[in-house]
Amino acid sequence: MISRLSGGFVCMRVSTGRVPQSDSRMFTVVVAGFGLGVQRQGERRLTVPFSQLQGTMQTIARHGGRISAVLGPDADPAASAAEPVAASAPAPSSSSTTPSKPAAVSHADVPVNLYKPKDPFVGTVTENYSLLADGAIGRVNHITFDLSGGDPQLHYVEGQSIGIIPDGEDAKGKPHKLRLYSIASTRHGDDMAGNTVSLCVRQLQYEKDGETINGVCSTFLCDIEAGAKVKITGPVGKEMLLPEDEDANVIMLATGTGIAPMRTYLRRMFEPAEREKNGWQFKGKAWLFMGAPTTANLLYDDDFNRYEREFPDNFRYTKAISREQQNANGGRMYIQDRVSENAEEIFSWIENPKTHVYMCGLRGMEPGIDEAMTAAAAAKGLDWAELRPALKKAERWHVETY
């Protein structure tokens, strides 16, 4: 059941019409240059049912694999053609991870730099309130800006950031430079009107020579009152975009205000008004790992608990509360400890080519996550140092830390 075309490509005559789901014929795809490390160097044989054959060949083609043969159910299994063909592989087994690249957001459709620092949009603050419960550490506010009246209209998508230029001048008498903040609202805004943007801002404070220093822009935003005007730039960023696939799986790792983009994803997935307006019905699985020092510092916690109650088959919410919980060694519970506890299941998700991983928060969270993932990968015979860049290349590993 193999025929050859000029130019070294194999063509198998397979009907693309509707196939009964009872069709149990099995086909073997012989492929080289597909997978990771040793897998990519050698020849592999992927046996798939007829119903998955076309999709398998497409995936292999997208990721540079070379198909030398497609063997039908009546073919000699030892047979193999010498010419390469484009194709695609099924989801990997539990013993290997092939970072396939599923359909992603079209970057061409993502707005970027509609407003720049030399000519910013001037928005109006509509609300500014604390996100913290009594007894929390620090100061974190949810701040919303009206974007009406822009030409062009300042619009954005989930996973992007905007720049804020605080009022006033620096010590040299020059205007303050902009600071970037991850957007915490969906493209429709918290009120679903499509003309607002919200931020989740923690006031930066640190000690210097015995004096408490307040961050310029974060303090400006946490102190700002409704009705005030604010200079806004952007939007920027394409690293943290959600896939368009309704069946995608999404793992989210967040600490502190790194929850901002995760809130946008989860609202898009599970808020009834969002689902109705988007015409996008999330059917995959989402798993949020959230790190905070105390329960009072968990941001948007009520919403996430509600999503877990209302969508138990689609959403999991795992918390790491460092000053209240202990890890297996009796130390403080950090987000990397939760990753280690759930490593086997996390990797079973990653083995599915429709799974994306998002990380956002302080840069200091990265080494701990890397260490946990390295150990988890090694337990499955995989090299995380090799797998992580492969996942990133496949646009399935997304990181935004600061």
Side-chain angles (χ1 to χ4, degrees), residues 145-158:
F145 307 91
D146 185 355
L147 303 179
S148 301
D151 184 15
Q153 172 69 33
L154 202 169
H155 62 286
Y156 56 90
V157 298
E158 297 76 16

PDB file of all heavy atoms in Angstrom, residues 145-158:
ATOM      1  N   PHE A 145      -8.626  50.888  34.376  1.00  0.00           N
ATOM      2  CA  PHE A 145      -8.535  52.122  33.602  1.00  0.00           C
ATOM      3  C   PHE A 145      -9.545  52.094  32.457  1.00  0.00           C
ATOM      4  O   PHE A 145      -9.703  51.069  31.790  1.00  0.00           O
ATOM      5  CB  PHE A 145      -7.132  52.294  33.004  1.00  0.00           C
ATOM      6  CG  PHE A 145      -6.024  52.184  34.007  1.00  0.00           C
ATOM      7  CD1 PHE A 145      -5.423  50.959  34.269  1.00  0.00           C
ATOM      8  CD2 PHE A 145      -5.569  53.302  34.693  1.00  0.00           C
ATOM      9  CE1 PHE A 145      -4.393  50.849  35.187  1.00  0.00           C
ATOM     10  CE2 PHE A 145      -4.538  53.201  35.617  1.00  0.00           C
ATOM     11  CZ  PHE A 145      -3.948  51.973  35.867  1.00  0.00           C
ATOM     12  N   ASP A 146     -10.181  53.215  32.215  1.00  0.00           N
ATOM     13  CA  ASP A 146     -11.077  53.382  31.066  1.00  0.00           C
ATOM     14  C   ASP A 146     -10.230  53.705  29.840  1.00  0.00           C
ATOM     15  O   ASP A 146      -9.415  54.629  29.864  1.00  0.00           O
ATOM     16  CB  ASP A 146     -12.067  54.515  31.362  1.00  0.00           C
ATOM     17  CG  ASP A 146     -13.112  54.685  30.261  1.00  0.00           C
ATOM     18  OD1 ASP A 146     -13.017  53.993  29.232  1.00  0.00           O
ATOM     19  OD2 ASP A 146     -14.010  55.523  30.433  1.00  0.00           O
ATOM     20  N   LEU A 147     -10.418  52.952  28.766  1.00  0.00           N
ATOM     21  CA  LEU A 147      -9.648  53.137  27.540  1.00  0.00           C
ATOM     22  C   LEU A 147     -10.456  53.793  26.429  1.00  0.00           C
ATOM     23  O   LEU A 147     -10.031  53.823  25.273  1.00  0.00           O
ATOM     24  CB  LEU A 147      -9.130  51.777  27.037  1.00  0.00           C
ATOM     25  CG  LEU A 147      -8.270  50.964  28.022  1.00  0.00           C
ATOM     26  CD1 LEU A 147      -7.857  49.646  27.378  1.00  0.00           C
ATOM     27  CD2 LEU A 147      -7.052  51.752  28.470  1.00  0.00           C
ATOM     28  N   SER A 148     -11.617  54.325  26.753  1.00  0.00           N
ATOM     29  CA  SER A 148     -12.503  54.900  25.733  1.00  0.00           C
ATOM     30  C   SER A 148     -11.856  56.111  25.064  1.00  0.00           C
ATOM     31  O   SER A 148     -11.086  56.847  25.686  1.00  0.00           O
ATOM     32  CB  SER A 148     -13.826  55.339  26.361  1.00  0.00           C
ATOM     33  OG  SER A 148     -14.490  54.256  26.971  1.00  0.00           O
ATOM     34  N   GLY A 149     -12.198  56.289  23.805  1.00  0.00           N
ATOM     35  CA  GLY A 149     -11.829  57.522  23.111  1.00  0.00           C
ATOM     36  C   GLY A 149     -10.504  57.503  22.393  1.00  0.00           C
ATOM     37  O   GLY A 149     -10.095  58.514  21.824  1.00  0.00           O
ATOM     38  N   GLY A 150      -9.810  56.392  22.416  1.00  0.00           N
ATOM     39  CA  GLY A 150      -8.522  56.354  21.741  1.00  0.00           C
ATOM     40  C   GLY A 150      -8.648  56.254  20.236  1.00  0.00           C
ATOM     41  O   GLY A 150      -9.632  55.733  19.710  1.00  0.00           O
ATOM     42  N   ASP A 151      -7.666  56.774  19.526  1.00  0.00           N
ATOM     43  CA  ASP A 151      -7.628  56.646  18.075  1.00  0.00           C
ATOM     44  C   ASP A 151      -6.180  56.356  17.674  1.00  0.00           C
ATOM     45  O   ASP A 151      -5.371  57.277  17.565  1.00  0.00           O
ATOM     46  CB  ASP A 151      -8.122  57.922  17.401  1.00  0.00           C
ATOM     47  CG  ASP A 151      -8.182  57.775  15.877  1.00  0.00           C
ATOM     48  OD1 ASP A 151      -8.125  56.621  15.399  1.00  0.00           O
ATOM     49  OD2 ASP A 151      -8.253  58.798  15.182  1.00  0.00           O
ATOM     50  N   PRO A 152      -5.821  55.092  17.531  1.00  0.00           N
ATOM     51  CA  PRO A 152      -6.708  53.929  17.514  1.00  0.00           C
ATOM     52  C   PRO A 152      -7.163  53.520  18.917  1.00  0.00           C
ATOM     53  O   PRO A 152      -6.571  53.944  19.916  1.00  0.00           O
ATOM     54  CB  PRO A 152      -5.825  52.831  16.918  1.00  0.00           C
ATOM     55  CG  PRO A 152      -4.450  53.199  17.391  1.00  0.00           C
ATOM     56  CD  PRO A 152      -4.404  54.708  17.343  1.00  0.00           C
ATOM     57  N   GLN A 153      -8.207  52.697  18.960  1.00  0.00           N
ATOM     58  CA  GLN A 153      -8.669  52.157  20.236  1.00  0.00           C
ATOM     59  C   GLN A 153      -7.576  51.259  20.824  1.00  0.00           C
ATOM     60  O   GLN A 153      -7.044  50.387  20.138  1.00  0.00           O
ATOM     61  CB  GLN A 153      -9.941  51.340  20.025  1.00  0.00           C
ATOM     62  CG  GLN A 153     -10.417  50.566  21.251  1.00  0.00           C
ATOM     63  CD  GLN A 153     -10.924  51.467  22.364  1.00  0.00           C
ATOM     64  OE1 GLN A 153     -11.492  52.524  22.088  1.00  0.00           O
ATOM     65  NE2 GLN A 153     -10.718  51.072  23.604  1.00  0.00           N
ATOM     66  N   LEU A 154      -7.235  51.484  22.083  1.00  0.00           N
ATOM     67  CA  LEU A 154      -6.244  50.629  22.745  1.00  0.00           C
ATOM     68  C   LEU A 154      -6.928  49.312  23.114  1.00  0.00           C
ATOM     69  O   LEU A 154      -7.792  49.279  23.980  1.00  0.00           O
ATOM     70  CB  LEU A 154      -5.692  51.327  23.994  1.00  0.00           C
ATOM     71  CG  LEU A 154      -4.311  50.851  24.496  1.00  0.00           C
ATOM     72  CD1 LEU A 154      -3.776  51.812  25.557  1.00  0.00           C
ATOM     73  CD2 LEU A 154      -4.332  49.439  25.058  1.00  0.00           C
ATOM     74  N   HIS A 155      -6.550  48.261  22.435  1.00  0.00           N
ATOM     75  CA  HIS A 155      -7.122  46.948  22.720  1.00  0.00           C
ATOM     76  C   HIS A 155      -5.988  45.940  22.873  1.00  0.00           C
ATOM     77  O   HIS A 155      -4.834  46.222  22.535  1.00  0.00           O
ATOM     78  CB  HIS A 155      -8.104  46.512  21.627  1.00  0.00           C
ATOM     79  CG  HIS A 155      -7.474  46.362  20.276  1.00  0.00           C
ATOM     80  ND1 HIS A 155      -7.098  47.434  19.498  1.00  0.00           N
ATOM     81  CD2 HIS A 155      -7.150  45.253  19.544  1.00  0.00           C
ATOM     82  CE1 HIS A 155      -6.568  47.008  18.358  1.00  0.00           C
ATOM     83  NE2 HIS A 155      -6.597  45.686  18.372  1.00  0.00           N
ATOM     84  N   TYR A 156      -6.293  44.756  23.374  1.00  0.00           N
ATOM     85  CA  TYR A 156      -5.271  43.791  23.745  1.00  0.00           C
ATOM     86  C   TYR A 156      -5.892  42.411  23.804  1.00  0.00           C
ATOM     87  O   TYR A 156      -7.116  42.256  23.688  1.00  0.00           O
ATOM     88  CB  TYR A 156      -4.683  44.161  25.125  1.00  0.00           C
ATOM     89  CG  TYR A 156      -5.739  44.270  26.201  1.00  0.00           C
ATOM     90  CD1 TYR A 156      -6.102  43.163  26.964  1.00  0.00           C
ATOM     91  CD2 TYR A 156      -6.424  45.470  26.422  1.00  0.00           C
ATOM     92  CE1 TYR A 156      -7.098  43.245  27.932  1.00  0.00           C
ATOM     93  CE2 TYR A 156      -7.420  45.560  27.390  1.00  0.00           C
ATOM     94  CZ  TYR A 156      -7.750  44.442  28.136  1.00  0.00           C
ATOM     95  OH  TYR A 156      -8.749  44.526  29.078  1.00  0.00           O
ATOM     96  N   VAL A 157      -5.055  41.398  24.007  1.00  0.00           N
ATOM     97  CA  VAL A 157      -5.553  40.042  24.208  1.00  0.00           C
ATOM     98  C   VAL A 157      -4.930  39.485  25.484  1.00  0.00           C
ATOM     99  O   VAL A 157      -3.975  40.047  26.038  1.00  0.00           O
ATOM    100  CB  VAL A 157      -5.235  39.113  23.014  1.00  0.00           C
ATOM    101  CG1 VAL A 157      -5.919  39.613  21.750  1.00  0.00           C
ATOM    102  CG2 VAL A 157      -3.733  38.974  22.817  1.00  0.00           C
ATOM    103  N   GLU A 158      -5.473  38.381  25.953  1.00  0.00           N
ATOM    104  CA  GLU A 158      -5.001  37.755  27.179  1.00  0.00           C
ATOM    105  C   GLU A 158      -3.523  37.370  27.059  1.00  0.00           C
ATOM    106  O   GLU A 158      -3.107  36.823  26.040  1.00  0.00           O
ATOM    107  CB  GLU A 158      -5.830  36.508  27.492  1.00  0.00           C
ATOM    108  CG  GLU A 158      -7.297  36.775  27.748  1.00  0.00           C
ATOM    109  CD  GLU A 158      -8.118  37.048  26.494  1.00  0.00           C
ATOM    110  OE1 GLU A 158      -7.623  36.746  25.383  1.00  0.00           O
ATOM    111  OE2 GLU A 158      -9.245  37.566  26.616  1.00  0.00           O
TER     112      GLU A 158
END
